[in-house]
């Protein structure tokens, strides 16, 4: 119980890095596979064996001192390894991916989920037996610590989760563009803002002349020999160009 409480104290506290007011939530928080803790556990067992040797065996003071130093080094190294692996987290949210690591000094690297271009899942033979794998990301954030994410437990499930988030993010972006453009804007000539066709643009930006000017100068009707050419027609307006 004391160990669990100690690790809670050194937990990286991922939730405080979220943009809560924008609706960001954690989809998956990836901790390292238990295989990374095998070596620290062996070091603790070896340190316990050395302590038992010191207690049960009558050796000289110099030998006891050397054994005590070895025990201290093994315990310190195992504890540091535990903390380093415990605080190294790869987090997938509905907006971005993050990697948080570091014990005393902390490094937080983030990149939008849409910038993840390609994901390679590597599963060595031992990894397939024990249930871990390594992710290799191809993105614009390779220099920020996202190039390789190693010792990922349940790699197949995590890969599917990331792919779903990427697909849903792309679908949301496409849906947003469709909503802005509208289904009736097939006649957009590309000169106006998204969601506004040329008729709306001309109608909005044209400024009516003053009443006095309109009363004093009325436009003369076009000559009888000229033809009226319509270069834009839509259900919401007509743009008539008189030759």
């Amino acid at each position: 119980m004391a160990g669990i409480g100690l690790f809670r104290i050194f937990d990286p506290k991922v939730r405080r890095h979220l943009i809560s007011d924008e609706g960001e939530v954690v989809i998956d928080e990836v901790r390292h596979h238990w295989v990374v803790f095998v070596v620290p556990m062996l070091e603790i067992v070896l340190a316990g064996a050395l302590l038992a040797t010191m207690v049960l065996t009558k050796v000289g003071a110099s030998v006891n001192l050397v054994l005590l130093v070895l025990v201290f080094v093994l315990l310190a190294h195992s504890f540091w390894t535990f903390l380093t692996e415990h605080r190294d987290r790869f987090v997938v949210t509905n907006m971005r991916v993050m990697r948080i690591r570091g014990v005393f000094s902390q490094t937080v690297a983030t990149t939008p989920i849409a910038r993840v271009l390609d994901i390679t899942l590597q599963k060595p033979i031992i990894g397939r037996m024990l249930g871990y794998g390594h992710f290799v990301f191809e993105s614009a954030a390779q220099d920020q610590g996202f190039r390789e994410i190693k010792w990922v437990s349940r790699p197949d499930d995590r890969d599917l989760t990331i792919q779903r988030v990427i697909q849903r993010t792309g679908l949301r972006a496409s849906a947003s563009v469709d909503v802005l453009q509208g289904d009736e804007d097939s006649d957009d000539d590309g000169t106006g803002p998204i969601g506004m066709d040329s008729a709306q643009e001309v109608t909005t930006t044209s400024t009516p002349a003053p009443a006095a000017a309109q009363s004093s100068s009325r436009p003369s009707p076009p000559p009888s020999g000229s033809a009226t050419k319509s270069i834009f027609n839509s259900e919401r307006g007509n743009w008539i160009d008189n030759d």
Side-chain angles (χ1 to χ4, degrees):
M1 296 299 293
I4 296 177
L6 183 62
F7 278 106
R8 285 181 178 176
I9 294 176
F10 288 97
D11 191 85
K13 298 177 178 60
V14 174
R15 266 63 182 178
R16 68 182 180 183
H17 298 285
L18 300 179
I19 311 176
S20 302
D21 55 347
E22 296 293 337
E24 186 178 20
V25 294
V26 174
I27 303 298
D28 193 7
E29 182 177 347
V30 181
R31 296 176 173 84
H32 283 176
H33 191 266
W34 58 264
V35 73
V36 300
F37 300 106
V38 171
V39 174
M41 290 298 299
L42 293 177
E43 291 177 346
I44 293 176
V45 171
L46 181 57
L50 292 178
L51 284 176
T53 301
M54 293 174 55
V55 174
L56 300 177
T57 305
K58 294 182 179 180
V59 294
S62 58
V63 177
N64 284 336
L65 180 60
V66 173
L67 292 178
L68 187 61
V69 171
L70 288 176
V71 168
F72 176 78
V73 171
L74 288 173
L75 291 178
H77 184 266
S78 62
F79 182 70
W80 179 260
T81 305
F82 265 113
L83 289 182
T84 303
E85 301 294 345
H86 175 70
R87 290 181 60 86
D88 192 348
R89 304 289 177 85
F90 178 69
V91 183
V92 181
T93 72
N94 58 335
M95 297 181 181
R96 53 183 174 156
V97 291
M98 294 187 294
R99 188 177 184 184
I100 304 173
R101 53 183 173 173
V103 178
F104 296 112
S105 60
Q106 190 178 68
T107 301
V108 181
T110 66
T111 188
I113 193 70
R115 297 181 66 184
V116 178
L117 304 178
D118 190 16
I119 303 176
T120 301
L121 175 58
Q122 299 177 350
K123 293 190 294 183
I125 297 178
I126 301 178
R128 296 183 64 182
M129 296 173 59
L130 299 180
Y132 70 85
H134 311 305
F135 283 138
V136 179
F137 288 88
E138 297 291 341
S139 67
Q142 295 178 4
D143 296 336
Q144 299 181 9
F146 289 108
R147 173 63 180 174
E148 292 183 349
I149 306 296
K150 294 186 175 182
W151 315 110
V152 177
S153 60
R154 296 186 290 112
D156 293 327
D157 296 338
R158 262 59 191 265
D159 183 36
L160 291 176
T161 299
I162 297 174
Q163 296 296 340
R164 289 191 186 99
V165 174
I166 294 176
Q167 292 298 325
R168 291 174 182 175
T169 303
L171 291 176
R172 283 197 300 269
S174 300
S176 299
V177 174
D178 292 339
V179 169
L180 288 175
Q181 291 179 344
D183 296 336
E184 301 176 357
D185 288 335
S186 58
D187 52 3
D188 191 356
D189 63 348
T191 60
I194 296 178
M196 176 184 293
D197 59 13
S198 299
Q200 288 178 320
E201 183 181 358
V202 172
T203 304
T204 304
T205 56
S206 61
T207 304
Q214 290 181 358
S215 60
S216 60
S217 60
R218 295 180 178 273
S220 60
S224 59
S226 63
T228 301
K229 180 177 63 176
S230 174
I231 65 175
F232 184 87
N233 291 301
S234 67
E235 296 178 357
R236 284 176 286 182
N238 292 317
W239 182 7
I240 304 300
D241 186 13
N242 296 326
D243 290 334

